[in-house]
């Protein structure tokens, strides 16, 4: 049975020595600290990718009363996240090629902090929506770039690192759902304070990415004493940046695509790449920037020894993965936006409803680590998709039949079903063989998927307002789970988008 390593080490692009060297036990070199800082940045970023949504879900009734929202407008509010993810997520690879992935993620965390700090005090529904969109823009670009960064820096541990990232994401989601109501009460009962306090966590996430921003120490973050002044000593597989760079500089954040946006070792004097894997170690956005002769042109892969990017829309697997991503996102955002309200309408106290939502989200903490590792060891991820779907259907049935009596059981089942998200992220890394393929597939699947998910939360709000109950919304949620299971099973087949696209 193929292992995680055999699935992720088949392409030279993914076999740079930077990440493995940096992970050697006891290694205190600058490269090791750079990798550790990168892991910290990934974890803190993941913690910030959902509190903007679940903190609002826990206080949705108070926000509706405070801003005078109808059920339909509240449904529109819960549809804003997938809309922003679709619109801004597709821009992420292009922004990363131009400014560096580190700079884009850093700016994304800053946008989250600003949006969360502004929206409670923006005044009126329009200002609240605009500030929310600012925060969600930062979330969108980070969503897309995380799988790409993981694929480049940890090519032999895609499942483990995706699991760590997904686990942190689930922890942040659950934390916001669990403590927003108690903290709001502790701060005097103002929903503005309860929502605004999450800006502090986003500010903390900005800091680890600062060294990876061009002009802010990106060059020194990974190069220490003994790594300068030897620009012409680079051995096979090593690259240099300027006359003072030494061997091993390919592990610099700038060379990993985290900061560098202008230098090209193949065009700068004295910076010639040496060795057959030197160019393959370059990240997707860096290689594509070099290959583009004019904006929008097709990369000249043959001239640079690199194949052109796959035509992603010709791949059936890419479409199946995009639809799967969209349907699981629909279920997730309906759950995050409306599940606490379902329990409150069934007579569950507000604090307990928030805890139930937290239980649903916290299920992703252990499972987000286990499921990606299991998925990378299976030739077909379809059975995992079906198992998660069955849990979702059982949870929806419980919400319809006995929402208060079996509330904890339904929260657990829906928490398991929500783990389709880390599974989808893992399949993004497995369904593409190359760095450019992963970048394209991540952007395509997430942007297309989030477009698909936009109507779901809005339609739930409309059905809730006009039917006066949760029967029709829950029926809709159950009906959407069937095609999610079908396309997820297709997306789990052992094939790559490069092969299907016939590049």
């Amino acid at each position: 049975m193929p292992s995680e390593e055999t699935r992720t080490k088949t392409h030279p692009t993914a076999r740079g020595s930077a990440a493995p060297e940096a992970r050697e036990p006891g290694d205190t070199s600058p490269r090791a600290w750079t990798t550790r800082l990168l892991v910290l940045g990934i974890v803190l970023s993941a913690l910030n990718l959902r509190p903007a949504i679940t903190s609002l879900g826990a206080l949705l009734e108070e926000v509706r009363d405070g801003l005078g929202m109808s059920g339909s407008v509240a449904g529109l509010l819960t549809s804003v996240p997938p809309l922003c993810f679709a619109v801004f997520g597709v821009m992420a690879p292009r922004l990363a090629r131009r400014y560096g992935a580190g700079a884009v993620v850093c700016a994304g965390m800053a946008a989250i902090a600003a949006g969360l700090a502004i929206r409670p005090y923006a005044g009126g529904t329009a200002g609240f929506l605009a500030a929310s969109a600012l925060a969600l823009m930062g979330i969108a670009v980070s969503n897309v770039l995380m799988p790409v960064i993981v694929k480049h820096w940890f090519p032999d541990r895609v499942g483990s690192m995706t699991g760590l990232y997904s686990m942190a994401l689930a922890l942040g989601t659950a934390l916001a759902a669990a403590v927003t109501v108690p903290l709001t009460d502790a701060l005097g009962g103002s929903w503005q304070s309860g929502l605004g306090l999450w800006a502090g966590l986003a500010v903390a996430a900005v800091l680890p990415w600062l060294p990876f921003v061009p002009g802010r120490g990106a060059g020194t973050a990974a190069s220490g004493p003994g790594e300068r002044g030897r620009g012409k000593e680079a051995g096979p597989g090593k690259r240099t940046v300027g006359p003072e760079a030494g061997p091993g500089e390919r592990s610099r954040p700038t060379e990993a695509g985290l900061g560098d946006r202008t230098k090209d070792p193949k065009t700068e004097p004295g910076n010639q790449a040496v060795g057959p894997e030197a160019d393959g170690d370059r990240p997707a956005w860096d290689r594509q920037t070099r290959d583009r002769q004019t904006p929008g042109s097709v990369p000249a892969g043959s001239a640079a020894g690199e194949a052109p990017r796959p035509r992603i829309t010709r791949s059936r697997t890419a479409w199946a993965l995009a639809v799967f991503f969209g349907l699981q996102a629909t279920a997730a955002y309906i759950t995050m936006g409306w599940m606490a309200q379902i329990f409150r309408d069934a007579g569950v106290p507000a604090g307990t409803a928030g805890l139930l939502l937290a239980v649903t989200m916290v299920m992703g903490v252990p499972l987000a680590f286990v499921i990606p590792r299991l998925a990378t060891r299976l030739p077909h991820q379809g059975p995992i998709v079906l198992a998660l779907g069955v849990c979702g259907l059982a949870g929806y049935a419980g919400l319809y039949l006995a929402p208060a009596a079996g509330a904890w059981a339904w929260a657990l089942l829906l928490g398991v079903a929500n783990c389709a998200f880390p599974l989808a992220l893992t399949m993004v890394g497995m369904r593409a063989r190359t760095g450019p393929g992963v970048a394209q597939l991540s952007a395509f699947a997430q942007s297309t998927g989030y477009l698909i998910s936009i109507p779901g939360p809005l339609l739930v709000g409309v059905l809730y307002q006009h039917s006066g109950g949760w029967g029709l919304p829950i029926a809709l949620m159950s009906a959407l789970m069937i095609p999610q299971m079908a396309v997820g099973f297709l997306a789990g087949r052992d094939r790559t988008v490069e092969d299907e696209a016939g590049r």
Side-chain angles (χ1 to χ4, degrees):
M1 182 176 295
S3 68
E4 177 183 339
E5 294 195 4
T6 59
R7 285 182 174 277
T8 56
K9 283 189 171 182
T10 56
H11 183 65
T13 302
R15 283 205 303 261
S17 63
E21 288 179 7
R23 289 194 300 268
E24 290 179 1
D27 188 358
T28 58
S29 67
R31 284 174 294 172
W33 284 109
T34 299
T35 303
R36 292 166 187 166
L37 188 63
L38 180 63
V39 171
L40 177 63
I42 290 173
V43 170
L44 285 177
S45 297
L47 286 172
N48 279 278
L49 295 183
R50 294 298 180 270
I53 303 167
T54 52
S55 62
L56 176 60
L59 293 174
L60 184 59
E61 184 171 315
E62 288 76 10
V63 173
R64 287 178 58 190
D65 292 341
L67 297 178
M69 290 184 185
S70 65
S72 298
V73 174
L76 176 62
L77 180 61
T78 57
S79 292
V80 170
L83 174 62
C84 290
F85 294 167
V87 172
F88 298 113
V90 73
M91 301 164 55
R94 183 176 299 177
L95 291 172
R97 288 195 295 269
R98 182 170 182 179
Y99 300 107
V104 176
V105 174
C106 186
M109 294 299 112
I112 295 172
L116 293 183
I118 293 171
R119 75 173 180 176
Y121 309 101
T125 301
F128 190 92
L129 288 171
S132 296
L134 175 61
L136 293 166
M137 176 180 66
I139 295 173
V141 294
S142 301
N143 268 340
V144 171
L145 291 180
M146 286 302 155
V148 183
I149 292 174
V150 166
K151 180 76 170 182
H152 177 79
W153 273 79
F154 308 95
D156 56 337
R157 298 188 180 183
V158 171
S160 298
M161 286 304 300
T162 302
L164 178 63
Y165 157 72
S166 301
M167 187 168 60
L169 187 150
L171 182 61
T173 307
L175 185 66
V179 305
T180 296
V181 171
L183 287 177
T184 300
D185 294 338
L187 293 172
S190 169
W191 63 265
Q192 287 94 339
S193 300
L195 292 183
L197 62 87
W198 293 103
L201 184 61
V203 171
V206 172
L207 304 179
W209 294 103
L210 290 176
F212 300 109
V213 177
R216 297 191 63 90
T220 61
S223 57
E227 291 192 352
R228 291 186 174 275
R230 299 192 301 269
K232 295 183 180 181
E233 297 179 11
K238 304 289 194 293
R239 292 193 308 274
T240 62
V241 181
E244 294 184 347
E249 284 294 292
R250 56 190 236 166
S251 64
R252 288 176 52 168
T254 55
E255 291 300 321
L258 294 172
D260 188 22
R261 59 188 175 90
T262 58
K263 296 196 176 193
D264 188 343
K266 284 195 172 286
T267 59
E268 298 259 342
N271 291 350
Q272 184 175 3
V274 182
E277 294 186 5
D279 185 64
D281 188 56
R282 293 176 67 84
W285 48 83
D286 201 10
R287 292 194 306 270
Q288 291 165 359
T289 301
R290 179 207 65 207
D291 289 339
R292 289 182 303 167
Q293 297 178 358
T294 59
S297 63
V298 177
S302 57
E306 181 183 331
R309 291 178 292 171
R311 299 176 183 177
I312 210 78
T313 55
R314 295 174 121 185
S315 169
R316 294 182 179 179
T317 296
W319 280 105
L321 189 54
V323 176
F324 175 65
F325 200 99
L327 292 175
Q328 68 81 27
T330 300
Y333 289 109
I334 290 173
T335 298
M336 286 186 280
W338 289 107
M339 197 179 83
Q341 190 65 49
I342 294 175
F343 286 128
R344 292 179 71 169
D345 287 350
V348 177
T352 304
L355 285 176
L356 287 165
L357 178 59
V359 167
T360 298
M361 300 298 111
V362 83
M363 286 299 296
V365 175
L367 292 180
F369 190 73
V370 172
I371 288 176
R373 292 176 65 87
L374 176 62
T376 55
R377 286 165 169 79
L378 294 176
H380 194 316
Q381 291 74 48
I384 304 178
V385 172
L386 297 181
L388 298 179
V390 169
C391 290
L393 290 174
Y396 292 143
L399 283 181
Y400 179 78
L401 296 173
W408 296 101
W410 318 142
L412 288 171
L413 285 170
L414 292 174
V416 174
N418 271 355
C419 288
F421 176 72
L423 177 61
L425 288 182
T426 304
M427 288 197 289
V428 167
M430 297 178 68
R431 296 288 87 87
R433 192 188 311 113
T434 65
V438 172
Q440 276 195 287
L441 182 58
S442 179
F444 175 76
Q446 294 199 44
S447 296
T448 305
Y450 284 127
L451 278 175
I452 293 171
S453 69
I454 291 171
L458 175 60
L459 187 55
V460 166
V462 172
L463 290 176
Y464 171 56
Q465 178 177 354
H466 290 282
S467 68
W470 287 105
L472 287 179
I474 291 174
L476 172 66
M477 294 150 67
S478 301
L480 291 176
M481 186 60 68
I482 304 302
Q484 176 182 323
M485 296 165 67
V487 294
F489 190 87
L490 294 176
R493 295 174 297 175
D494 188 12
R495 56 194 64 192
T496 64
V497 294
E498 288 91 347
D499 293 336
E500 291 187 342
R503 55 174 196 175

